[in-house]
Amino acid sequence: MREDKSEYKVKVGNMDYVLLFTIVALSLIGVVMVFSSSYYTAGNSEDFGYNMYYFAEKAAVFVAMGYAVIAIGSRIPYQNYQNWSKIIYIVCMVLLVLVLIIGTATNGAVRWIFGIQPSEVAKIGLVLVLSDFLAKRKHILDTFKGFLVCLVIVGIPIFFVTLENLSTGIVMACVCAGILFIASPRISYFVVLVILAAAGVAAIILFGDPFRMERISAWLDPESDMLGTGYQILQGLYAVGSGGLFGVGLGQSRQKLGFIPESHNDIIFAVICEELGAVGASIIVLLYMIMIWRCIKIAIDATSMYGTLVASGIAIMVGAQVFINISVVTNTIPNTGIPLPFISYGGTSMLTFMIGMAIVLNISRHYREK
């Protein structure tokens, strides 16, 4: 655990403007790329009123709401979330259970309730709850029993999420494991954790929905079912490969013309590679790296253990999701649906990350003065 900094006087100053810049840059790029990747589909579909701006308009609204969240949330002292941690945990659990009972199915998966995705809310909720639990019990990880207690607290919501959304469950597991790793003085615990996690994922794949095994088969040999499970993989790779160094030009993607299913969602990075090329894609990856770097710096400089763990958890959440999304697009790992932070279309995902960044920005405003 970090050393106690209680002897320092805490003052409040300006937020981290470098982090704020990356948030604004990525979200604006997201609106542009959502429009570029969706205007053909939206403009030629009666479902969207033949409105080529349908998805871009909604994405812009989500981003504007996110900026409002940043403006307000960055002013709320992050310590307040410690007082709300139990309520946050209960709300997340209730939503995760309700979505399995009365949730709305989309593309065969039940993930929506009351217009939101509880799994997205649970990601930020678990960061806050686990960070609070560890910060208030500084020696709980000194024993393996305490470590198991933490695993139970985070394992229950992760289990419910994984039932319908394996990719988000994996992200949540990575975030919680990262927070525990930072807070724990014993590396040996994580050998057990990795074994349990690997066994859990294997069990879900082998004994769960058969479609997951089909995805693994498609990942290993996408050309074995070019019009079925391997279709999206191949179309995405065609887009990535045809972009070259500088791309075919903004708005000029050919794969989005009905070849890549829902190209404005999880597979949007393929369109980015095709239109902006390796250079454009690299700039976006660089922005993510800067964002994660600033979050880590803020975590290191935080005035409390709680602030350190929250900022670290949100950095891991962004990093894990970016890694998984880009790896799926490039067929580095089996296909699984997860949005690209701040860029993919999706209101709940956008607002979840904006809330997370608002909290990190508030943490950045607090500094120590002897």
Side-chain angles (χ1 to χ4, degrees):
M1 302 286 277
R2 278 169 56 100
E3 69 271 24
D4 186 7
K5 299 289 186 179
S6 57
E7 70 272 16
Y8 289 93
K9 182 177 180 181
V10 177
K11 288 195 172 184
V12 179
N14 295 324
M15 69 177 67
D16 189 311
Y17 288 110
V18 175
L19 177 59
L20 181 63
F21 166 78
T22 61
I23 296 168
V24 173
L26 286 169
S27 58
L28 292 180
I29 290 171
V31 174
V32 172
M33 292 313 304
V34 165
F35 169 68
S36 180
S37 60
S38 68
Y39 73 79
Y40 175 83
T41 300
N44 290 279
S45 174
E46 184 179 0
D47 295 338
F48 309 117
Y50 301 106
N51 177 14
M52 64 189 299
Y53 300 102
Y54 180 86
F55 291 105
E57 289 171 350
K58 287 183 173 293
V61 171
F62 296 145
V63 169
M65 292 171 63
Y67 291 163
V69 167
I70 291 287
I72 298 172
S74 62
R75 297 281 176 180
I76 299 175
Y78 72 91
Q79 298 90 341
N80 288 353
Y81 296 105
Q82 285 191 280
N83 301 325
W84 306 335
S85 62
K86 291 182 180 178
I87 297 175
I88 292 171
Y89 188 81
I90 292 171
V91 169
C92 288
M93 287 302 304
V94 170
L95 289 174
L96 291 174
V97 173
L98 283 178
V99 76
L100 296 175
I101 300 172
I102 60 174
T104 304
T106 302
N107 295 329
V110 181
R111 299 178 181 175
W112 294 85
I113 186 173
F114 309 135
I116 64 172
Q117 279 187 282
S119 59
E120 292 292 329
V121 178
K123 283 191 299 188
I124 191 71
L126 267 190
V127 171
L128 298 174
V129 170
L130 182 59
S131 298
D132 170 62
F133 187 80
L134 293 172
K136 289 179 178 176
R137 298 163 181 82
K138 294 184 179 180
H139 300 288
I140 191 170
L141 294 177
D142 290 347
T143 65
F144 189 67
K145 180 181 178 180
F147 185 74
L148 289 178
V149 170
C150 294
L151 290 186
V152 171
I153 291 173
V154 301
I156 295 173
I158 290 174
F159 170 76
F160 282 111
V161 169
T162 306
L163 289 176
E164 287 292 339
N165 195 339
L166 178 60
S167 55
T168 299
I170 291 174
V171 170
M172 291 170 66
C174 289
V175 170
C176 293
I179 292 175
L180 288 170
F181 183 83
I182 292 168
S184 175
R186 301 180 185 275
I187 304 299
S188 59
Y189 292 166
F190 292 89
V191 176
V192 177
L193 182 58
V194 169
I195 293 173
L196 290 175
V201 172
I204 291 170
I205 292 173
L206 293 174
F207 304 108
D209 190 341
F211 184 61
R212 286 173 177 148
M213 280 302 297
E214 294 177 5
R215 285 187 170 184
I216 293 178
S217 299
W219 167 59
L220 295 173
D221 186 12
E223 294 183 347
S224 63
D225 189 8
M226 297 178 65
L227 298 179
T229 54
Y231 180 79
Q232 187 182 59
I233 297 173
L234 292 173
Q235 297 303 322
L237 291 176
Y238 293 155
V240 173
S242 62
L245 189 60
F246 297 105
V248 298
L250 185 63
Q252 301 303 310
S253 167
R254 292 179 290 273
Q255 294 304 117
K256 71 186 178 188
L257 305 180
F259 295 102
I260 298 178
E262 299 187 38
S263 55
H264 53 287
N265 284 335
D266 303 338
I267 206 75
I268 195 170
F269 190 73
V271 178
I272 291 173
C273 290
E274 184 179 9
E275 295 191 345
L276 305 182
V279 172
S282 297
I283 290 173
I284 290 174
V285 171
L286 178 61
L287 286 171
Y288 281 122
M289 293 174 66
I290 294 173
M291 174 178 283
I292 295 167
W293 162 56
R294 297 310 296 180
C295 288
I296 293 173
K297 185 179 186 304
I298 291 167
I300 293 172
D301 295 337
T303 58
S304 68
M305 187 61 189
Y306 178 68
T308 294
L309 295 178
V310 169
S312 299
I314 293 172
I316 297 168
M317 184 173 72
V318 174
Q321 200 150 322
V322 169
F323 175 80
I324 293 174
N325 180 278
I326 294 177
S327 296
V328 166
V329 171
T330 56
N331 201 35
T332 306
I333 63 175
N335 192 1
T336 183
I338 197 164
L340 187 62
F342 301 100
I343 293 182
S344 291
Y345 176 80
T348 308
S349 175
M350 178 65 74
L351 292 179
T352 296
F353 279 104
M354 287 292 191
I355 291 171
M357 286 299 145
I359 296 171
V360 176
L361 286 170
N362 183 265
I363 295 172
S364 74
R365 297 183 68 222
H366 295 76
Y367 64 95
R368 297 184 295 267
E369 182 177 270
K370 290 185 178 181

